[in-house]
C-alpha cells in the first residue's frame, strides 16, 4: 500500500463529485475535463501562500548572492569560518538558505497526488471513473499514441500540445539566464509538452492548467516581491 493511496482516493471522490455538479451545466460530455481544470486551479489557489514564501526566499538568495560569493572567496581555505560567516550573514538579513526550497518541497505532495489521480486506471481497487469521461469524443484515459496520430481524436491532443508549447515559450522568456548555458536554462518549461504526448488526456489537462497557473503566478508574485521594500 502506497502512502498516496488514501489521499488519491479522497481526491478522486472530490473530483468525481465536482464532475457530477458540472454535468447539468456542460451537458455531461466535457464535465470531467472541466472538473480537472477547476480542481487543479483550486489546489493551486490553496498553495499560493507557499508560492509567495518561495518567491520571497528566491529573492532573498538573489539579493545575498554577491555577499555569499565574496565570503566563499575570502574563506575558501577555512570551511569552518565560512560556515560561521554564512550563518551570521543569514541571521543578520533575517533569511535562510532553505527559505525558497522548503515551500517548493511542501507543494510536491499535492502535485504527486493529482498526477497519480489523472494517470492511474485503478484507484483504491476500483476503476478510475474520471478517465472514462470524454472531451470532444476522446476518453480522458487515452493518450496520443492510443488514439492514433492520424485519427480525428488526435486534433484534441494537437490543440493541447500547442497550448502547452505557448505557455512554455512564454515561461522560458521570463527565465533570467545569460552565458553559454543560458539557452539550456530555458528548456525545462518545454518538458511538459513532451510529457503530455505520452500521458492520458486527463493528465495533459492537469499539466496545462498547472503550467499556465505557474507562469501567471511567477509573473505576478515575483514582480510584487521585487517591488516590496
Amino acid at each position: 500500500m502506497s502512502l498516496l493511496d488514501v489521499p488519491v482516493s479522497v481526491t478522486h471522490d472530490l473530483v468525481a463529485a465536482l464532475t457530477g455538479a458540472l454535468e447539468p451545466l456542460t451537458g455531461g460530455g466535457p464535465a470531467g475535463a472541466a472538473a480537472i481544470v477547476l480542481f487543479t486551479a483550486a489546489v493551486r489557489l490553496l498553495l499560493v501562500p507557499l508560492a509567495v514564501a518561495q518567491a520571497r526566499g528566491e529573492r532573498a538568495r538573489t539579493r545575498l548572492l554577491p555577499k555569499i560569493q565574496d565570503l566563499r572567496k575570502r574563506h575558501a581555505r577555512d570551511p569552518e569560518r565560512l560556515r560561521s560567516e554564512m550563518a551570521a550573514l543569514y541571521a543578520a538579513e533575517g533569511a535562510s538558505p532553505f527559505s525558497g526550497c522548503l515551500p517548493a518541497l511542501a507543494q510536491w505532495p499535492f502535485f504527486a497526488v493529482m498526477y497519480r489521480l489523472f494517470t492511474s486506471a485503478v484507484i483504491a481497487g476500483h476503476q478510475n471513473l474520471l478517465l472514462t469521461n470524454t472531451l470532444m469524443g476522446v476518453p480522458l484515459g487515452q493518450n496520443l499514441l492510443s488514439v492514433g496520430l492520424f485519427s480525428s481524436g488526435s486534433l484534441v491532443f494537437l490543440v493541447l500540445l500547442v497550448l502547452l508549447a505557448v505557455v512554455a515559450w512564454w515561461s522560458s522568456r521570463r527565465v533570467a539566464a545569460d552565458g553559454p548555458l543560458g539557452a539550456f536554462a530555458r528548456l525545462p518549461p518545454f518538458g511538459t509538452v513532451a510529457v503530455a504526448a505520452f500521458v492520458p488526456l486527463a493528465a495533459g489537462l492537469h499539466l496545462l492548467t498547472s503550467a499556465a497557473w505557474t507562469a501567471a503566478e511567477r509573473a505576478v508574485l515575483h514582480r510584487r516581491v521585487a517591488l516590496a521594500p
Side-chain angles (χ1 to χ4, degrees):
M1 181 177 179
S2 169
L3 292 175
L4 295 179
D5 285 349
V6 173
V8 169
S9 179
V10 172
T11 305
H12 173 274
D13 293 342
L14 291 175
V15 179
L18 180 58
T19 301
L22 291 173
E23 284 181 351
L25 301 176
T26 62
I36 290 172
V37 172
L38 290 177
F39 188 80
T40 300
V43 171
R44 294 305 303 267
L45 182 61
L46 291 175
L47 295 177
V48 164
L50 291 175
V52 171
Q54 181 181 356
R56 287 176 175 168
E58 291 176 356
R59 176 174 177 259
R61 290 204 310 272
T62 301
R63 177 169 50 85
L64 295 178
L65 185 58
K67 296 181 180 180
I68 292 173
Q69 292 175 335
D70 181 59
L71 288 176
R72 286 174 175 168
K73 290 179 181 179
R74 285 192 288 160
H75 306 295
R77 297 183 180 181
D78 190 349
E80 187 63 31
R81 177 71 182 278
L82 176 60
R83 281 192 292 269
S84 64
E85 292 288 342
M86 292 270 285
L89 174 62
Y90 280 113
E93 297 289 341
S96 166
F98 307 108
S99 56
C101 301
L102 293 180
L105 291 176
Q107 297 177 54
W108 274 107
F110 296 92
F111 297 150
V113 167
M114 289 192 293
Y115 184 76
R116 180 172 170 183
L117 171 64
F118 300 135
T119 56
S120 299
V122 177
I123 301 292
H126 302 284
Q127 181 184 11
N128 186 352
L129 297 179
L130 297 176
L131 301 185
T132 63
N133 288 273
T134 62
L135 177 62
M136 298 182 67
V138 179
L140 299 182
Q142 292 192 4
N143 59 29
L144 178 59
L145 297 181
S146 62
V147 168
L149 296 177
F150 303 102
S151 67
S152 58
S154 64
L155 293 177
V156 175
F157 286 94
L158 177 61
V159 173
L160 174 67
L161 294 177
V162 168
L163 291 176
L164 277 168
V166 170
V167 173
W169 171 80
W170 192 79
S171 299
S172 68
R173 285 173 56 87
R174 303 187 66 87
V175 175
D178 300 318
L181 297 180
F184 292 99
R186 295 186 174 90
L187 291 179
F190 291 94
T192 55
V193 183
V195 172
F198 298 98
V199 297
L201 179 58
L205 292 172
H206 162 65
L207 287 174
L208 175 60
T209 306
S210 190
W213 186 285
T214 297
E217 187 176 71
R218 290 185 65 86
V220 174
L221 292 183
H222 284 250
R223 180 175 181 273
R224 288 187 176 181
V225 169
L227 294 176

